[in-house]
């Protein structure tokens, strides 16, 4: 079985890059290739040569979604059987490759536990265990309103990569949400596991953090959901109503200052203790506004 780990390195992740690579060196299953897309890091060869890993490197810049699509297509062309998605600002339990390989012999996609870490987090926090049990099978309805499947805690059989990959817009922010929504709609068998975990780092330069409730992050979340629903509604009629709701919401919070302040307050006030990605971003009606 040809196992590909796919990741992107960018300057913001450099402080954590060695920890990421060390967690790959320590994997109990070492039969894999790291496909590394370099988005703007100079002298990257000097940073990776000292690690005992099989690494294929490609320099590629552009929008994050476009880079991810190109990475998946690169891996597919190289004949990989499975893709394990990784982020270079995170690190992993030493059995992540082993568990992913084993479980993908029975399932199309797996997503594993996320352990939240960071400078301002005193104790690591298990993010998903309250929502999902071992071998819980995921349906499309589980990720209709929020996402639990990121590009650091998932693995997929390449035969199950969505046939509509090329249609995901280059400028969509939540590429992972769009990608896995399409895969699930195409009938993939997807399950959760807590047999392994990703150490999911929270820091100032995170592209998306479910734990952040600044006004900028909340407004960005409204845009994410608007753009996501606009995209998936091209394929599935059941998203038309919620697409209209988020079109209206996006316009109102960006033109009505008073409403924007109230909206941001209620999003933060009503958020669950451990929200999934975009879970706290709701319509005005859902928030009672």
């Amino acid at each position: 079985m040809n196992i590909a780990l796919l990741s992107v390195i960018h300057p913001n992740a450099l402080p954590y890059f060695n920890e990421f690579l060390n967690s790959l060196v320590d994997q109990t299953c070492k039969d894999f290739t790291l496909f590394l897309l370099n988005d703007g890091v100079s002298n990257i060869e000097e940073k990776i040569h000292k690690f005992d890993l099989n690494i294929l490197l490609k320099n590629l810049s552009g929008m994050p979604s476009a880079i991810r699509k190109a990475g998946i297509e690169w891996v597919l062309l190289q004949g990989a059987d499975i893709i394990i998605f990784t982020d270079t600002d995170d690190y992993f339990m030493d059995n992540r490759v082993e568990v992913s390989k084993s479980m993908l012999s029975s399932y199309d996609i797996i997503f594993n536990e996320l352990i939240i870490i960071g400078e301002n987090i005193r104790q690591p926090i298990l993010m998903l265990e309250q929502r999902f049990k071992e071998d819980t099978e995921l349906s499309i309805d589980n990720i209709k309103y929020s996402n639990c499947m990121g590009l650091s805690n998932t693995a997929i059989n390449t035969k199950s990569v969505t046939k509509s990959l090329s249609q995901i817009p280059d400028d969509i922010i939540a590429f992972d949400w769009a990608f896995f929504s399409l895969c699930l709609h195409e009938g993939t068998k997807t399950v959760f596991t807590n047999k392994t975990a990703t150490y999911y780092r929270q820091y100032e330069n995170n592209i998306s953090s479910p734990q952040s409730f600044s006004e900028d992050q909340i407004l960005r979340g409204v845009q994410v959901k608007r753009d996501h629903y606009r995209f998936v509604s091209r394929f599935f009629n059941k998203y038309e109503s919620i697409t209209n709701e988020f079109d209206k919401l996006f316009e109102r919070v960006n033109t009505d200052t008073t409403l924007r302040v109230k909206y941001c307050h209620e999003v933060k006030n009503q958020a669950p203790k451990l929200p999934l990605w975009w879970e706290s971003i709701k319509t005005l009606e859902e928030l009672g506004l």
Side-chain angles (χ1 to χ4, degrees):
M1 177 179 286
N2 294 324
I3 303 171
L5 273 63
L6 178 60
S7 200
V8 179
I9 179 63
H10 48 82
N12 287 341
L14 271 179
Y16 318 109
F17 191 40
N18 283 355
E19 192 168 20
F20 163 80
L21 291 173
N22 279 321
S23 75
L24 300 186
V25 170
D26 292 339
Q27 290 296 305
T28 55
C29 173
K30 301 183 184 298
D31 184 22
F32 62 85
T33 299
L34 173 61
F35 289 74
L36 185 62
L37 295 157
N38 177 32
D39 182 15
V41 176
S42 58
N43 302 317
I44 186 65
E45 293 86 356
E46 296 177 10
K47 303 179 191 309
I48 63 177
H49 83 276
K50 61 184 178 181
F51 292 89
D52 185 18
L53 292 166
N54 183 21
I55 301 176
L56 294 181
L57 180 66
K58 179 178 284 192
N59 295 316
L60 189 63
S61 61
M63 295 181 176
S65 176
I67 293 174
R68 291 292 189 175
K69 285 193 294 181
I72 293 171
E73 290 164 355
W74 179 31
V75 168
L76 294 176
L77 286 173
Q78 295 300 313
D81 297 305
I82 69 174
I83 305 172
I84 300 173
F85 293 103
T86 60
D87 274 340
T88 51
D89 49 8
D90 298 330
Y91 62 96
F92 315 99
M93 283 188 174
D94 63 8
N95 66 344
R96 183 159 184 235
V97 174
E98 180 181 356
V99 168
S100 299
K101 177 182 178 181
S102 175
M103 293 191 70
L104 286 174
S105 65
S106 301
Y107 304 107
D108 300 316
I109 302 174
I110 65 164
F111 66 108
N112 58 250
E113 180 63 273
L114 289 159
I115 301 176
I116 302 172
I117 58 169
E119 292 180 1
N120 298 320
I121 298 172
R122 294 181 180 180
Q123 295 291 333
I125 302 168
L126 297 176
M127 180 174 163
L128 300 179
E129 70 168 7
Q130 300 301 319
R131 310 291 189 104
F132 306 100
K133 304 296 183 184
E134 179 70 23
D135 292 338
T136 297
E137 188 165 347
L138 207 69
S139 74
I140 186 59
D141 289 336
N142 292 117
I143 62 168
K144 183 176 180 181
Y145 303 104
S146 60
N147 189 30
C148 55
M149 303 174 68
L151 293 178
S152 197
N153 74 319
T154 46
I156 186 171
N157 277 304
T158 54
K159 63 181 176 58
S160 298
V161 169
T162 172
K163 300 175 180 62
S164 302
L165 174 65
S166 64
Q167 297 187 51
I168 301 176
D170 287 351
D171 61 352
I172 202 165
I173 298 174
F175 170 81
D176 49 5
W177 197 11
F179 175 75
F180 289 115
S181 293
L182 293 178
C183 292
L184 283 167
H185 271 293
E186 291 172 10
T188 57
K189 190 172 184 181
T190 302
V191 298
F192 172 73
T193 183
N194 57 16
K195 294 175 183 175
T196 191
T198 296
Y199 289 88
Y200 177 45
R201 193 183 308 274
Q202 302 297 286
Y203 62 103
E204 185 177 356
N205 290 320
N206 270 105
I207 292 175
S208 63
S209 170
Q211 318 302 322
S212 178
F213 295 103
S214 68
E215 181 176 297
D216 286 346
Q217 285 277 30
I218 290 171
L219 294 179
R220 188 167 182 269
V222 174
Q223 180 184 348
V224 165
K225 292 193 104 166
R226 181 202 66 168
D227 292 352
H228 176 73
Y229 293 132
R230 279 183 171 182
F231 171 64
V232 293
S233 66
R234 297 183 202 171
F235 301 85
F236 313 108
N237 292 334
K238 70 177 183 178
Y239 289 93
E240 288 182 1
S241 176
I242 196 167
T243 300
N244 292 333
E245 288 295 318
F246 273 93
D247 275 336
K248 294 174 185 175
L249 175 61
F250 180 82
E251 180 178 358
R252 290 194 64 186
V253 296
N254 282 283
T255 57
D256 186 333
T257 303
T258 300
L259 177 64
R260 179 166 65 247
V261 171
K262 290 181 180 178
Y263 180 82
C264 291
H265 173 79
E266 288 304 320
V267 165
K268 183 175 182 179
N269 187 52
Q270 297 187 36
K273 185 176 180 181
L274 288 174
L276 304 177
W277 288 291
W278 324 118
E279 182 179 17
S280 304
I281 307 299
K282 299 181 181 296
T283 64
L284 295 173
E285 182 179 1
E286 288 175 310
L287 294 174
L289 293 173

